Structures are given as structure tokens and as C-alpha cells.
Amino acid sequence: METADLKFCDALRALFVSIGDMLLPRGCAGCDKPDEVLCASCARLFAHVYPKVLPGDAGRCYGCSWYCGAVRHAILNWKDHGDEECDRVFALLLTDLVLKVLDRQESHIRSSALVLVPAPSSASSMHHRGRWQMLPLVRLMARGLKRYGVSAVMEPVLRLEGVQGKSVQASGASSRAKRIEGHVRVSEDLNDDSLFIVVDDIVTTGATMGECLSALRDSGARDVIGLVLACTPNRAE
């Protein structure tokens, strides 16, 4: 295609986007405030560090917020209703969470080199949503951390194989654990002193995150933690 044609297509695309914004203006993913991807009030709900207890000795997990109210609404709009404009905002919030956790100087963290691992999605979930929703977030996180002088790379080494049904269909910790147990695979050996950080959207019972952290340890990762946008309150489990 000629350069002039490409410029025309770009201009036409921009025009359609502008028309769409005028006809269907967006609202905040959390509270529907006009002309906001995520308004300042909703963003502040993600600005904390909440530790989450994982089953057994699976490891440590931290969240930006609790999974309720406007936080839940925002995540569902992004995850299940295709609000991809939230990718960049959520990546910034998760990047801030990484920096806060590192600033705590956790005694078990022995390396400043980070390997960011997007939590795996099942084939059915990716088919339904049309994408692996954590992948663009983690890619943006790696870029953002480098701007803060933190050595970070993205490695999508986790896979889900043979999982039946959706996680929301498995109520309770034991049901979720049985659904996911033994189905998380690591695509390569990880004899590495880096800190491996599994990044997911929410953690409920902690079964999936626990399996991910255990799989990484079994493949040679020495330090592993989990980070999520939101945790369900412990009383909900």
C-alpha cells in the first residue's frame, strides 16, 4: 500500500474513533464518571497493598485493592466487556504495587532482577475474550519498571492444560483447588536467582495463584510472589 493510502486510512480510522467518542462517550470503568478511563477517586481505591494468605505454604500474594464495589466493576468491565483502554491504567497501578512491595524490603527477596509472569488463561477463556488479557498489562509493566531503573523482563512461561469449566463455577477453596491442581505447566526450566512475580487480575481462594507459584518453584525459580489487581476479602472464602 502506498504511503498516501496509509495516511488516508489512519486519518479515516481517527475520524471513526472521534465519531464513536462523540456518539458513545466513555465513562469511568469503575463509576461511569464521564470522559474518564478510571477516575481519580476510583484509582485511589487501587492504591494500597493488601497481603493475601494463600492455601498451605504456596507463598505470598499482594493486591492493589479488595474485589468489591467500584473496583469489581472496573475489573469486570476490562476483563469481560472488552474495555482495553484500562490496560495502561491497570498496568500503572500494578507497577506501583511492585515498587511498594520491593520497598518493603521483604527478607526473602534476594534479587533486584525481576521476571514478570502473566498468569495463564485457559484456551476457552482466551477464545471467549479474544485475547490473553494479562499479557498486555505485564508487557507494559516491564517497560514501566525499567523507567524506574528496575531490571524487569516479561516471560510468559506458564500454561493451563486440561482445565474443565470456569473458575467462577467452582465455589469454595477445595473445589477451586481440585479444578486447577496439576494443570499448570511451566514451559522451561528456571534455574534463576531472579524474583519471579506472577501477575493476575484477581485472587479469590488463592488456588490458581498457589499452583502457579508452586509450578515455578518446582521448575527452579527460587523466589516467587504473586501480585493482583484485587483480592476477595478473606471472609468471602
Side-chain angles (χ1 to χ4, degrees), residues 26-234:
R26 74 155 296 131
C28 168
C31 68
D32 296 324
K33 182 179 180 179
D35 302 321
E36 300 275 5
V37 176
L38 190 71
C39 73
S41 295
C42 288
R44 281 194 290 271
L45 299 175
F46 289 87
H48 306 281
V49 179
Y50 294 98
K52 176 74 174 182
V53 177
L54 297 178
D57 59 353
R60 306 185 185 203
C61 182
Y62 304 90
C64 296
S65 188
W66 295 119
Y67 187 61
C68 57
V71 168
R72 180 178 180 273
H73 192 212
I75 292 174
L76 287 177
N77 274 332
W78 163 74
K79 183 176 179 178
D80 291 333
H81 300 290
D83 192 352
E84 296 183 19
E85 287 187 86
C86 288
D87 285 0
R88 190 168 298 277
V89 177
F90 284 164
L92 288 172
L93 294 168
L94 286 165
T95 298
D96 185 60
L97 179 62
V98 172
L99 296 173
K100 287 176 178 176
V101 171
L102 293 179
D103 192 51
R104 286 180 166 211
Q105 298 179 337
E106 300 284 350
S107 60
H108 72 295
I109 295 175
R110 298 190 293 266
S111 173
S112 59
L114 308 182
V115 178
L116 306 179
V117 182
S121 288
S122 66
S124 60
S125 292
M126 286 191 282
H127 176 75
H128 174 71
R129 297 188 178 106
R131 65 176 191 153
W132 183 354
Q133 79 269 9
M134 295 312 302
L135 203 62
L137 264 66
V138 177
R139 185 178 291 114
L140 289 167
M141 287 173 65
R143 294 174 186 168
L145 286 165
K146 288 176 182 177
R147 287 195 287 271
Y148 284 97
V150 179
S151 175
V153 296
M154 181 185 74
E155 294 289 348
V157 296
L158 292 177
R159 295 287 184 273
L160 278 181
E161 297 179 0
V163 176
Q164 300 296 321
K166 298 180 179 179
S167 61
V168 294
Q169 295 171 341
S171 60
S174 59
S175 296
R176 288 174 182 267
K178 289 178 181 177
R179 172 186 175 271
I180 199 72
E181 185 177 4
H183 293 293
V184 178
R185 304 281 188 267
V186 182
S187 60
E188 58 187 75
D189 291 334
L190 304 172
N191 294 317
D192 196 320
D193 287 328
S194 300
L195 170 63
F196 284 77
I197 301 178
V198 177
V199 187
D200 207 351
D201 46 19
I202 62 172
V203 73
T204 50
T205 65
T208 299
M209 179 62 75
E211 282 291 315
C212 290
L213 299 185
S214 296
L216 290 173
R217 275 195 298 266
D218 291 345
S219 295
R222 292 171 177 80
D223 286 329
V224 293
I225 61 173
L227 296 184
V228 293
L229 285 166
C231 308
T232 56
N234 290 332

